């Protein structure tokens, strides 16, 4: 039997929005894990407890869902006029894979607080009472994000009265601004179209809006695949055929968006793109038992992450929803009733979420300038995570 001594690595376990994950300072990682590569991936996989064929994460810090199997590495920013560099890794549950291709919008809300507590933000920019503006460089997608973190008595305020559907307890509100959220490379609509016909073998030809904003996302109409848009998690996640269908749609969308070359490449790129289905407003009962009336929302959206229907909504997907809703003619915009809008309130399995967005047409191309949403964040535990020293393998 091989022997690997346990090491302890300084870490903070944080909730951000409707997600939670392990936060690390880059300089606190073992030396071999401070650079991208297999040593870093092995360490973080072992921290989370993946790959786990039982899909429970019993021997790790993961929560056995896409929302709770996340890692974050922060460091002093290498970019001018930024405070911190933020690198996000989405950890697969039953595969030895960490996907570094996208951002986590929910955990972004926790990045600001972690940056302040870690000394990445100059003390003279932290008020005694008020709001600290944290300038984040999102290293995965090379974008600027602004986190407005509430400060009370010189410290990050975590508790408060702000309620977020999908989170059990109220907390302090953190407003997050995603600047220029469209993909830096190429068009926001990589096919050049607001709506495409997506040919999916065994399923048919589907209308799809494929957008690179917040996170690459493939939107389809709920009714086209036999759903109403009011479904909760179990309706999708307990149906292997449904999950396989959505993964097939996602893979073919990824090829059409130019994110991968072949369908087989989708296995190694599970975090992006997302696949989501939309429908006009309708009333439903959220997972908490809360009644959502059709009049409470502009549009219904259900999104899958890492192969499962998300219990609420990924923050980056919320950005994609907001930007797509702001552009007349997309499937999201049409499901919301069409026309111009600067914000959208959408229904998800846990309740509702309002997101603001700014988009404009420049020389025939749509450009997203900003998306804004409110989240909350809280430290759950801090100290050291113990893990076998897999960097020596």
């Amino acid at each position: 039997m091989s022997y690997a001594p346990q090491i302890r690595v300084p870490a903070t376990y944080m909730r951000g929005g409707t997600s939670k994950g392990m936060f690390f300072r880059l300089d606190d990682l073992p030396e071999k894990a401070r650079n991208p590569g297999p040593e870093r991936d092995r360490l973080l996989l072992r921290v989370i407890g993946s790959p786990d064929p039982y899909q429970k994460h019993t021997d790790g810090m993961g929560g056995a869902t896409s929302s709770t199997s996340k890692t974050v590495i922060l460091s002093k920013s290498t970019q001018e006029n930024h405070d911190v560099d933020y690198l996000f890794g989405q950890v697969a549950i039953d595969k030895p894979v960490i996907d570094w291709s996208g951002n986590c919008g929910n955990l972004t809300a926790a990045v600001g607080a972690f940056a302040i507590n870690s000394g990445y933000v100059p003390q003279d920019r932290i008020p005694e009472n008020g709001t600290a503006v944290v300038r984040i460089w999102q290293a995965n997608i090379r974008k600027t994000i602004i986190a407005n973190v509430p400060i009370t008595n010189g410290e990050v305020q975590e508790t408060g009265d702000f309620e977020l559907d999908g989170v059990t307890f109220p907390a302090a509100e953190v407003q997050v601004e995603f600047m220029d959220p469209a993909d830096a490379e190429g068009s926001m609509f990589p096919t050049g179209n607001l709506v495409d016909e997506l040919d999916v073998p065994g399923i048919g030809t589907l209308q799809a809006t494929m957008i690179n904003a917040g996170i690459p996302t493939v939107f389809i109409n709920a009714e086209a695949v036999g759903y109403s848009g009011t479904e909760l998690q179990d309706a999708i996640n307990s149906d292997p055929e449904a999950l396989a269908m959505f993964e097939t749609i996602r893979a073919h969308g990824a090829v059409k968006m130019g994110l991968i070359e072949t369908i087989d490449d989708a296995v190694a790129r599970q975090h992006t793109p997302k696949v989501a289905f939309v429908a006009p407003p309708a009333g439903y009962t959220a997972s908490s038992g809360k009644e959502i009336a059709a009049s409470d929302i502009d549009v219904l959206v259900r999104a899958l992450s890492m192969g499962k229907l998300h219990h609420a909504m990924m923050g980056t997907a919320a950005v994609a929803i907001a930007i797509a809703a702001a552009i007349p003619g997309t499937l999201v915009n049409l499901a919301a009733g069409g026309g111009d809008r600067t914000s959208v309130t959408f229904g998800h399995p846990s309740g509702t979420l309002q997101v603001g967005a700014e988009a404009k047409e420049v020389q025939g191309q749509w450009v997203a300038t900003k998306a804004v949403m409110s989240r909350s964040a809280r430290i759950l535990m801090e100290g050291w995570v113990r893990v076998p020293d897999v960097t020596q393998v």
Side-chain angles (χ1 to χ4, degrees):
M1 180 180 294
S2 61
Y3 166 75
Q6 285 243 95
I7 58 174
R8 65 179 197 170
V9 182
T12 302
Y13 198 40
M14 295 194 75
R15 178 187 65 77
T18 56
S19 294
K20 57 184 179 179
M22 297 299 298
F23 280 61
F24 300 92
R25 301 176 188 87
L26 178 64
D27 291 344
D28 287 338
L29 293 176
E31 189 171 350
K32 287 187 176 181
R34 292 178 190 172
N35 293 306
E39 289 88 356
R40 172 183 288 179
D41 283 9
R42 281 200 300 268
L43 175 73
L44 297 180
L45 282 164
R46 193 66 179 85
V47 166
I48 295 298
S50 292
D52 183 357
Y54 305 106
Q55 300 192 44
K56 300 295 183 185
H57 279 156
T58 305
D59 198 19
M61 297 298 297
T65 70
S66 66
S67 303
T68 56
S69 303
K70 299 173 180 280
T71 57
V72 170
I73 300 172
L74 295 188
S75 59
K76 184 175 176 58
S77 186
T78 57
Q79 307 295 313
E80 188 176 0
N81 296 323
H82 290 75
D83 299 305
V84 64
D85 286 357
Y86 157 40
L87 186 66
F88 168 69
Q90 177 70 59
V91 182
I93 297 170
D94 58 349
K95 299 178 179 66
V97 173
I98 300 182
D99 193 329
W100 300 98
S101 66
N103 178 32
C104 175
N106 274 298
L107 287 187
T108 301
V111 169
F114 189 89
I116 292 171
N117 292 334
S118 297
Y120 293 128
V121 180
Q123 195 64 38
D124 62 7
R125 292 213 352 263
I126 303 172
E128 182 65 18
N129 293 285
T131 302
V133 178
V134 182
R135 303 167 300 192
I136 301 164
W137 178 252
Q138 214 302 321
N140 303 76
I141 59 175
R142 303 188 63 78
K143 292 289 183 179
T144 298
I145 302 173
I146 305 298
N148 298 281
V149 181
I151 303 293
T152 300
N153 298 327
E155 297 183 345
V156 172
Q157 178 188 333
E158 295 182 307
T159 59
D161 299 325
F162 174 69
E163 295 186 358
L164 179 64
D165 286 343
V167 177
T168 309
F169 303 107
E173 181 178 0
V174 179
Q175 189 178 80
V176 182
E177 303 173 45
F178 298 83
M179 312 304 294
D180 184 24
D183 194 321
E185 299 178 5
S187 171
M188 186 162 69
F189 296 95
T191 67
N193 303 314
L194 300 184
V195 179
D196 280 281
E197 290 192 345
L198 182 63
D199 295 320
V200 186
I203 298 170
T205 300
L206 303 173
Q207 285 195 317
T209 289
M210 292 174 279
I211 187 171
N212 276 337
I215 199 164
T217 305
V218 179
F219 290 104
I220 60 173
N221 287 319
E223 64 177 2
V225 288
Y227 292 106
S228 65
T230 61
E231 287 76 16
L232 302 186
Q233 276 190 295
D234 193 55
I236 306 295
N237 294 345
S238 64
D239 185 346
E241 291 185 4
L243 295 176
M245 176 190 70
F246 282 115
E247 178 58 19
T248 302
I249 294 170
R250 191 188 77 87
H252 281 81
V255 172
K256 191 144 188 171
M257 293 178 79
L259 299 174
I260 56 177
E261 292 185 5
T262 70
I263 297 300
D264 293 340
D265 294 339
V267 174
R269 186 170 177 143
Q270 296 187 320
H271 183 49
T272 58
K274 302 302 185 189
V275 61
F277 53 99
V278 300
Y284 66 99
T285 304
S287 57
S288 64
K290 179 181 180 180
E291 293 296 329
I292 308 298
S295 57
D296 294 335
I297 56 178
D298 301 308
V299 63
L300 289 163
V301 190
R302 300 297 189 261
L304 285 85
S305 179
M306 300 298 284
K308 297 290 181 69
L309 187 72
H310 197 275
H311 73 101
M313 185 56 63
M314 305 80 79
T316 48
V319 172
I321 292 164
I323 297 296
I327 298 174
T330 69
L331 294 187
V332 183
N333 174 268
L334 293 172
D340 297 321
R341 62 175 63 246
T342 56
S343 71
V344 65
T345 300
F346 61 86
H348 56 74
S350 294
T352 69
L353 179 64
Q354 183 179 37
V355 187
E358 296 176 7
K360 59 184 179 180
E361 195 170 12
V362 180
Q363 297 179 344
Q365 296 283 331
W366 281 98
V367 177
T369 54
K370 183 168 69 170
V372 182
M373 74 179 78
S374 289
R375 315 306 269 168
S376 60
R378 188 170 75 85
I379 294 174
L380 303 178
M381 183 177 288
E382 55 190 346
W384 297 269
V385 61
R386 297 268 186 166
V387 61
D389 190 3
V390 292
T391 64
Q392 303 297 329
V393 176

